[in-house]
């Protein structure tokens, strides 16, 4: 729930729409877990799945795994699981 309360990670590129999702920077099938969650609005989450992670990162100037790692460390420091 805490990730869903955050602003979309891709908001600086505009076009945000819909509620914020706890999107996976690394899929569960590839070994992703709660430490790989990032906040993306419904529009950008759909775009991430439609175009793939690498294309999404390039289009928005993001490194999703680095962002997820930073977020996980911040939440750990605050004692939030």
């Amino acid at each position: 729930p805490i990730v869903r309360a955050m602003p979309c990670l891709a908001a600086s590129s505009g076009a945000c729409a819909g509620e914020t999702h706890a999107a996976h920077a690394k899929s569960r099938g590839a070994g992703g877990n709660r430490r790989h969650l990032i906040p993306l609005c419904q529009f950008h989450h759909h775009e991430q799945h439609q175009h793939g992670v690498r294309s999404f990162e390039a289009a928005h100037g993001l490194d999703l795994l680095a962002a997820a790692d930073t977020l996980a460390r911040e939440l750990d420091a605050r004692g939030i699981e």
Side-chain angles (χ1 to χ4, degrees):
I2 190 85
V3 175
R4 291 184 192 129
M6 297 175 174
C8 176
L9 195 62
S12 64
S13 62
C16 284
E19 62 187 32
T20 300
H21 294 186
H24 287 91
K26 181 178 183 179
S27 72
R28 287 185 187 180
N33 56 41
R34 75 150 187 96
R35 299 190 64 81
H36 297 106
L37 295 176
I38 52 168
L40 291 178
C41 70
Q42 184 177 4
F43 175 82
H44 285 118
H45 191 192
H46 176 75
E47 182 185 5
Q48 176 203 20
H49 283 280
Q50 186 175 30
H51 298 289
V53 171
R54 299 293 172 242
S55 295
F56 181 82
E57 287 177 320
H60 296 282
L62 297 170
D63 180 335
L64 300 183
L65 285 176
D69 185 57
T70 298
L71 178 57
R73 280 194 259 143
E74 289 173 3
L75 294 177
D76 287 346
R78 292 169 45 194
I80 299 172
E81 286 270 336

